[in-house]
Amino acid sequence: MPAEATADGDHDDLAYADAVAELEEILTELDRDDVDVDRLAEQVQRAASLITLCRSRLQAARVEVTRIVADLDTLDTGDTPDGPVPSAVDAASPDGPGATP
């Protein structure tokens, strides 16, 4: 059984997969012909809260993946936020990196 939300709807400890599974359970319950009308609003509110959680987790994952790919691109081009990475030849120069002959 997935972790329950706290009274204020906090789901920080609920895994994305658990939230999706709970959403599927709610949808199955709501699709039945004998849906409990007394629980209908509660279930719809819970589903809305879980959807918000899933969207937030997906957005966070998208941002993290974008950051990781950008970091990989930086490694491929040899650029850093401060400019190009000095080569081994520059670093071995007696005058240090960036010295001109």
Side-chain angles (χ1 to χ4, degrees), residues 3-58:
E4 292 297 320
T6 58
D8 64 356
D10 183 21
H11 301 282
D12 287 340
D13 60 340
L14 187 61
Y16 178 84
D18 291 337
V20 170
E22 187 173 346
L23 271 169
E24 289 173 353
E25 289 174 17
I26 290 170
L27 289 174
T28 299
E29 183 178 335
L30 295 177
D31 280 342
R32 292 193 326 231
D33 291 334
D34 63 339
V35 65
D36 182 355
V37 176
D38 294 327
R39 283 183 38 99
L40 182 62
E42 176 186 319
Q43 290 295 79
V44 170
Q45 179 59 47
R46 177 69 176 161
S49 179
L50 291 167
I51 289 168
T52 299
L53 167 75
C54 289
R55 286 180 176 166
S56 174
R57 297 277 173 87
L58 287 170

Side-chain angles (χ1 to χ4, degrees), residues 63-89:
V63 167
E64 181 67 8
V65 167
T66 300
R67 184 193 63 76
I68 291 167
V69 170
D71 287 349
L72 289 173
D73 288 345
T74 299
L75 291 174
D76 288 344
T77 62
D79 290 339
T80 67
D82 299 325
V85 175
S87 71
V89 173

